[in-house]
Amino acid sequence: MNLILKRIALQKDPGRRDAIDAFLRQHQLSLEADCELAIVAEYGQRIVGCGAIAGCVLKCIAVDPSLQGEGVSLKLLTELMTQAYELGRSELFLFTKPYNAAMFSCAGFWPIARAGNRAVLMENSRERLARYCRQLAMYRQPGDKIGAIVMNANPFTLGHRWLVEQAARQCDWLHLFVVKEDASFFSYQDRVALIEQGIAGIDNVTLHPGSAYVISRATFPGYFLKDKGVVDDCYCQIDLQLFRERLAPALHITHRFVGNEPLCPLTRNYNKRMKQLLEAPGETPSITVVELERVEKEGGPISASRVRKLYKERQWSAIAPLVPAGTLSYLMHRAEREQQTA
C-alpha cells in the first residue's frame, strides 16, 4: 500500500485543518480546538487516517473503516509519538474508548483510569504514575484528619484564601493541588506564584506542583463522545478515580474540601459527582467531601470568573476587595504590559 504520512501545523494551515476536521466528522468525531499538530495518512491523495497532538495528549486518532486492520493506526500512532518526542514531550497520554485500549497497548500505552465502558485514560509508561505516587508519599504528614483541595485559581482570590484557611483549620494537615494545564486565562506559572503568595502564613499546608494526574476539564477530550453530558461525566469519573485510588492513598487523605457553587452548573454538578464517587464504598478508603459556603463580598460570592470579568473592564476599585494585594498588583502590571504591546 502506497500510504503517505504528512505532518501538518494546524495553526498555520487552516485549509488542511478544515479538511482533517471534515474527515473526522465523516466518522462521527471532530478536531478539537487545542490540537496543535496533526499527522495525516493519505492514500491516492485522499485522507484515510489522522491523529493530533495537544500538549502531551494524543487525540483525534481515526482511520477509514476500509483500511482498518491494515496497520494504519499503529503507523499513525508511531509517527505521532515520534513528533511528540522531537518536541521534547516524552510523557504522553491518550483518551479513548475501552475497546480501542488493546490497540494502543501494542504501542506501549497502559490504562490508568476508566469511566465504565465509555472512556479510558492511558499513558506511555507502566511505572510513571506509581513513581509519582511514591514521590507524593514523601510529603505525608501525621494526623487523623488529612485534607485536600484541588484548585485552578484563575486567578487566586480572597475566596480561595478563605477556603484554604477554613480547611486548614479543620485538619491536622492540608494538601493543596494546582491544576497544571495552561488552558486557563492566566498561565500555570503565574497561578502557582499567586497561590504561594496568597496562602502565606497558613502553616499546615503543602502546596504541590501541578501534575498530569490532576485532570483539567478544559483539556479533557470529548471528540469521541457525542453527548456533552457524557463527556462531563467521563471527565468526573476519570479525574476522581485517579484522586481516590492513587493520589489520596499516597498522602493518607481523608477529606476533600470544595467551595459551594452558586453560579456555574458544570462545577456544581462536579461537586455533586465528587461526593458520590469519593464517599461510596470501594476497594480504597472513602474520602469525606466537605462543601463550604463561599465567602461573599460587595453584594455577591467572590469568584475567579467575577474577577476576570472586572479585569477585562479594568475595574480596579471593584477588584481590590476581592483579591489579595499580590493578585491585585499582578493584575495591574499585566494590564499595563498588555497595553504596551497592543
Side-chain angles (χ1 to χ4, degrees):
M1 178 188 296
N2 187 22
L3 190 72
I4 299 174
L5 298 181
K6 295 182 179 179
R7 297 182 178 185
I8 310 295
L10 293 170
Q11 306 301 329
K12 298 179 181 179
D13 197 339
R16 294 291 284 174
R17 185 184 185 99
D18 290 344
I20 294 168
D21 188 51
F23 169 78
L24 286 168
R25 290 186 184 279
Q26 290 172 12
H27 300 86
Q28 290 74 53
L29 304 173
S30 63
L31 185 64
E32 297 199 317
D34 62 347
C35 292
E36 309 157 73
L37 300 160
I39 304 296
V40 171
E42 291 185 351
Y43 179 63
Q45 298 185 329
R46 179 172 66 93
I47 296 177
V48 295
C50 69
I53 303 172
C56 290
V57 178
L58 307 185
K59 57 169 62 176
C60 302
I61 301 170
V63 174
D64 191 290
S66 65
L67 294 178
Q68 288 178 2
E70 299 289 332
V72 178
S73 295
L74 190 56
K75 289 178 182 177
L76 276 170
L77 189 56
T78 300
E79 187 66 19
L80 279 170
M81 293 171 69
T82 300
Q83 175 76 84
Y85 293 154
E86 289 176 4
L87 293 169
R89 305 174 190 179
S90 59
E91 299 183 354
L92 300 175
F93 299 82
L94 61 82
F95 298 82
T96 189
K97 292 186 176 180
Y99 62 73
N100 289 326
M103 176 185 71
F104 291 117
S105 294
C106 294
F109 282 80
W110 281 265
I112 59 173
R114 180 168 171 163
N117 62 355
R118 297 182 299 188
V120 60
L121 170 60
M122 307 180 75
E123 69 172 340
N124 65 332
S125 170
R126 188 193 294 269
E127 292 294 328
R128 193 161 63 235
L129 175 54
R131 188 165 59 247
Y132 172 71
C133 290
R134 287 195 297 270
Q135 292 170 345
L136 275 185
M138 297 171 62
Y139 295 92
R140 284 180 189 162
Q141 295 289 337
D144 296 325
K145 190 171 182 179
I146 305 298
I149 294 174
V150 176
M151 183 177 291
N152 194 22
N154 186 32
F156 189 85
T157 68
L158 288 174
H160 293 111
R161 167 79 188 194
W162 183 88
L163 178 64
V164 175
E165 285 177 330
Q166 296 302 309
R169 191 171 295 149
Q170 296 183 32
C171 294
D172 297 302
W173 201 267
L174 179 67
H175 294 279
L176 178 54
F177 296 89
V178 186
V179 175
K180 185 175 184 179
E181 285 88 352
D182 272 325
S184 302
F185 188 83
F186 302 102
S187 72
Y188 164 72
Q189 184 178 357
D190 288 347
R191 288 185 289 111
V192 170
L194 292 177
I195 293 170
E196 193 168 15
Q197 287 180 12
I199 64 172
I202 307 175
D203 296 330
N204 59 329
V205 178
T206 299
L207 176 60
H208 295 275
S211 85
Y213 304 111
V214 177
I215 312 296
S216 165
R217 176 63 187 86
T219 59
F220 181 82
Y223 67 92
F224 60 90
L225 299 166
K226 295 180 182 179
D227 184 88
K228 185 179 182 301
V230 172
V231 173
D232 293 338
D233 193 60
C234 287
Y235 158 67
C236 290
Q237 288 190 55
I238 287 176
D239 181 47
L240 294 169
Q241 184 182 125
L242 281 171
F243 182 83
R244 173 171 176 168
E245 296 182 4
R246 307 305 291 267
L247 277 60
L251 293 165
H252 294 166
I253 290 168
T254 61
H255 291 70
R256 180 156 163 179
F257 293 82
V258 294
N260 75 322
E261 182 48 68
L263 303 174
C264 175
L266 189 64
T267 303
R268 187 161 58 246
N269 185 62
Y270 179 85
N271 288 351
K272 180 180 177 181
R273 289 293 279 145
M274 182 190 303
K275 191 171 183 65
Q276 294 169 347
L277 295 171
L278 296 189
E279 295 186 347
E283 294 182 4
T284 54
S286 61
I287 299 165
T288 302
V289 176
V290 181
E291 192 168 15
L292 299 173
E293 288 293 323
R294 283 188 182 234
V295 64
E296 296 202 3
K297 201 94 174 220
E298 304 294 315
I302 299 176
S303 70
S305 59
R306 181 180 171 191
V307 172
R308 290 195 303 274
K309 181 178 183 297
L310 292 170
Y311 171 79
K312 290 176 181 177
E313 299 166 355
R314 303 301 193 251
Q315 298 279 350
W316 306 121
S317 60
I319 293 174
L322 309 179
V323 299
T327 299
L328 180 62
S329 176
Y330 162 80
L331 293 175
M332 294 179 74
H333 281 97
R334 178 187 168 112
E336 186 177 341
R337 291 195 304 270
E338 288 176 354
Q339 186 175 3
Q340 290 173 352
T341 57

